[in-house]
Amino acid sequence: LERTSGAWPRPLQTLDHTLPGDLPEVVVGAIRVGFRRLSAAAQLVLAAVAVVGERVATAVLARATGLAAPELAAALDELEWERWLAAEPRGYAFGARIVREVVSRDLVTAGQRQRLREAAATERLTQS
């Protein structure tokens, strides 16, 4: 961020404003460390939200992760308290798009990504 000219995000813009280049390794490293400090269930739920969509309903998360309702609720509470996710009327979403991108890109394997998406798609088909 120090390499950019001017302030980021620009005045009157949000953190959704596009970064003027790659994220500094320090930022990516901080996201990785924070992710690893979460419980295993919270890491799984966060990975699911990162790869399934912008906003993910609790029912889709249950199917994608295979977690029982009490364990899923505890993981979602942890993620809200730690400010990783925000509850919205249409589901859960990341508070910051750049964090979602780092989690999806760096903290989820290709196989895990595929399994989570397939499980979520199965859930959508059964709801139709």
Side-chain angles (χ1 to χ4, degrees):
L1 295 177
E2 294 171 354
R3 293 177 278 158
T4 64
S5 61
W8 182 89
R10 291 194 174 118
L12 305 177
Q13 297 291 323
T14 67
L15 291 179
D16 286 337
H17 184 74
T18 305
L19 272 172
D22 290 336
L23 285 173
E25 287 300 315
V26 180
V27 173
V28 174
I31 293 169
R32 289 176 181 167
V33 168
F35 180 85
R36 294 295 175 209
R37 288 184 176 164
L38 296 169
S39 68
Q43 288 180 32
L44 178 59
V45 171
L46 198 62
V49 175
V51 301
V52 170
E54 292 289 325
R55 287 174 191 81
V56 185
T58 305
V60 175
L61 287 171
R63 176 70 178 168
T65 63
L67 295 173
E71 193 175 11
L72 177 60
L76 288 168
D77 288 346
E78 178 182 352
L79 293 168
E80 278 191 274
W81 276 111
E82 296 295 326
R83 306 282 191 253
W84 287 89
L85 296 179
E88 298 180 358
R90 294 181 294 166
Y92 286 87
F94 275 84
R97 188 184 70 196
I98 58 175
V99 175
R100 177 180 181 235
E101 291 171 7
V102 171
V103 170
S104 178
R105 180 190 70 206
D106 295 352
L107 300 168
V108 180
T109 66
Q112 185 182 20
R113 185 177 296 108
Q114 181 178 347
R115 289 188 302 274
L116 289 167
R117 285 183 177 153
E118 286 173 357
T122 302
E123 174 66 21
R124 287 189 195 118
L125 291 175
T126 60
Q127 288 179 352
S128 300

